[in-house]
Amino acid sequence: RVNDAVEDIKALLAGFAGVVDINDNNDLGQAEQRIVPRPADIRSVGLTPADVALQVRGFLFGLEAHTYAADQEDIDVRVRLDETTRRDLTAVEDIWLVTPTGDLVPLAEVADIVPTTTYSTIRRADRQRSVTVTAETLPGLSPEAITAELDLGELRAAYPDLTIKFSGRQEQMGDAFASLPLGMGAACLMIYVILAWLFASYFQPLTVMLIIPFSLIGVVWGHLLLGYEMTFLSLIGVVALSGIVVNDSLILVEFYNHERKAGTPIVDALLSAGRARLRPILLTTITTVLGLTPLILEQSFQAKFLIPMGISIAAGLISATVLILVVLPCWVLIFDDVRRGAYFLWHGRSKTAERLHDGLGQPAV
């Protein structure tokens, strides 16, 4: 059934255009003679399949009869048929077996000798027999696109006693994608902790970090315009991009906090922060993008794996820069309205001007 499943998988892969060099490692080896005991015959003479196997092994491989010490080492003495007889297939077929009663029985009377072909190598994974089917894709065709369309459900249903799964690169990709959300979550948590310590506020870091999802707009459009597919390294670039985007947001929010401490109304403080921090934010974005441009334009084989990560950072930062100047002030105003509404619902009255705060830890006027 393993061979049938392998052929079915190879036929399934052959149905995709652009998939070539479909092979498997289930290679056949040399011809062999397989001894198959006949249950009724061996029981009639008092033998078991283990007895037959043990005696045939003794004839060919030998039985350990004695061990003696010589030259400071133990030397095993094995008793077996002479080399000429062991190399003669006819002579092996004519050997006699010894029954528990001491009688001699020809091997041919209790077992069938079946000519067959063995495997050159028997491979195992997790102590289970395994066969690997591999294929190559033509340039321009992603292996991930093929595996996404490859439906193994019917094969698994047809061979319920076999385990059919992706391995190799696809298994590693699956494990990497499974661990990526944990890494992204840990990075965001650390960013939040640092910002909360810096701003002395629980809500202002959320305002800054809400820009991170908007940077994904540039990541997607960057890959589309440059003709690259999203890869695992693209997502790694998104994790790195989150830290860079927060840096740009930090420049704007820090100046906004300074203006609020000076008593500037919230809208005027946001407008003043946008005017004053426009040049630093643009310079940060321009220098980062220009630094990544040589990598993105590189055409060597070694650089092609890193280009998607560079596109994620550069394109995401470009879009995030525009959104920081437009969306971030809106988030600040929205959080201020939410804080005002929450205070009114809890206390049943609006805050007075003397007690009013902007919801981000700064006093308002």
Side-chain angles (χ1 to χ4, degrees):
R1 290 183 61 82
V2 174
N3 294 334
D4 295 337
V6 168
E7 294 302 322
D8 290 344
I9 294 175
K10 293 169 70 174
L12 188 61
L13 289 172
F16 292 93
V19 178
V20 296
D21 296 336
I22 304 174
N23 296 300
D24 64 80
N25 61 357
N26 197 29
D27 301 324
L28 294 178
Q30 298 179 344
E32 70 175 11
Q33 300 293 323
R34 183 169 299 174
I35 299 176
V36 183
R38 295 190 291 271
D41 294 336
I42 61 175
R43 283 197 301 268
S44 65
V45 296
L47 294 174
T48 64
D51 296 331
V52 176
L54 182 62
Q55 294 193 42
V56 172
R57 183 179 184 275
F59 291 138
L60 301 179
F61 182 73
L63 298 176
E64 185 176 328
H66 179 66
T67 300
Y68 70 94
D71 296 331
Q72 297 182 350
E73 63 177 340
D74 293 337
I75 299 177
D76 296 332
V77 178
R78 291 185 175 276
V79 180
R80 60 182 180 179
L81 295 177
D82 60 278
E83 183 176 359
T84 302
T85 303
R86 285 187 282 112
R87 291 184 176 274
D88 187 351
L89 182 59
T90 303
V92 173
E93 294 176 351
D94 292 339
I95 60 177
W96 291 67
L97 304 177
V98 181
T99 66
T101 60
D103 298 329
L104 298 178
V105 178
L107 175 64
E109 290 190 5
V110 296
D112 297 321
I113 301 177
V114 182
T116 184
T117 304
T118 185
Y119 295 98
S120 58
T121 304
I122 296 179
R123 296 173 175 83
R124 296 183 181 276
D126 298 331
R127 297 183 296 177
Q128 299 295 323
R129 171 77 182 281
S130 66
V131 178
T132 303
V133 179
T134 60
E136 300 289 338
T137 57
L138 295 177
L141 182 63
S142 172
E144 285 73 23
I146 299 299
T147 55
E149 298 181 13
L150 191 62
D151 185 12
L152 299 179
E154 295 183 1
L155 286 175
R156 293 189 176 105
Y159 302 96
D161 53 335
L162 301 180
T163 301
I164 302 175
K165 64 178 183 178
F166 292 110
S167 62
R169 171 179 171 176
Q170 302 305 321
E171 183 179 19
Q172 295 173 0
M173 289 287 290
D175 294 340
F177 276 110
S179 62
L180 185 61
L182 298 177
M184 185 66 180
C188 291
L189 179 61
M190 292 303 298
I191 291 173
Y192 175 83
V193 171
I194 293 173
L195 292 178
W197 169 76
L198 179 64
F199 294 140
S201 170
Y202 293 111
F203 298 102
Q204 197 165 27
L206 297 177
T207 307
V208 174
M209 295 179 65
L210 282 174
I211 282 296
I212 295 177
F214 287 93
S215 63
L216 297 178
I217 299 174
V219 174
V220 175
W221 277 105
H223 283 81
L224 288 176
L225 294 177
L226 295 178
Y228 284 86
E229 293 188 358
M230 295 281 291
T231 65
F232 178 73
L233 288 178
S234 300
L235 301 181
I236 294 295
V238 172
V239 178
L241 174 65
S242 62
I244 302 174
V245 170
V246 167
N247 289 339
D248 278 354
S249 303
L250 192 59
I251 296 174
L252 179 66
V253 174
E254 183 64 24
F255 189 89
Y256 161 77
N257 288 340
H258 178 75
E259 291 294 304
R260 293 292 283 154
K261 288 180 181 179
T264 306
I266 182 170
V267 175
D268 293 338
L270 290 171
L271 293 175
S272 179
R275 288 191 298 265
R277 292 309 185 205
L278 175 61
R279 181 180 298 176
I281 291 175
L282 290 179
L283 287 177
T284 302
T285 300
I286 292 173
T287 53
T288 305
V289 172
L290 290 180
L292 292 170
T293 299
L295 172 63
I296 297 174
L297 298 179
E298 180 62 44
Q299 296 300 316
S300 64
F301 177 77
Q302 292 81 359
K304 285 188 178 297
F305 298 101
L306 298 176
I307 289 176
M309 183 172 64
I311 294 174
S312 294
I313 298 176
L317 186 57
I318 292 173
S319 67
T321 300
V322 178
L323 294 173
I324 286 171
L325 298 171
V326 177
V327 177
L328 183 57
C330 298
W331 279 121
V332 173
L333 293 174
I334 291 173
F335 267 76
D336 181 68
D337 292 338
V338 171
R339 191 236 7 121
R340 292 170 183 267
Y343 185 89
F344 178 80
L345 293 176
W346 184 260
H347 296 281
R349 64 180 185 276
S350 299
K351 275 193 173 183
T352 62
E354 290 78 15
R355 301 176 58 190
L356 188 62
H357 290 69
D358 64 359
L360 306 176
Q362 307 299 337
V365 176

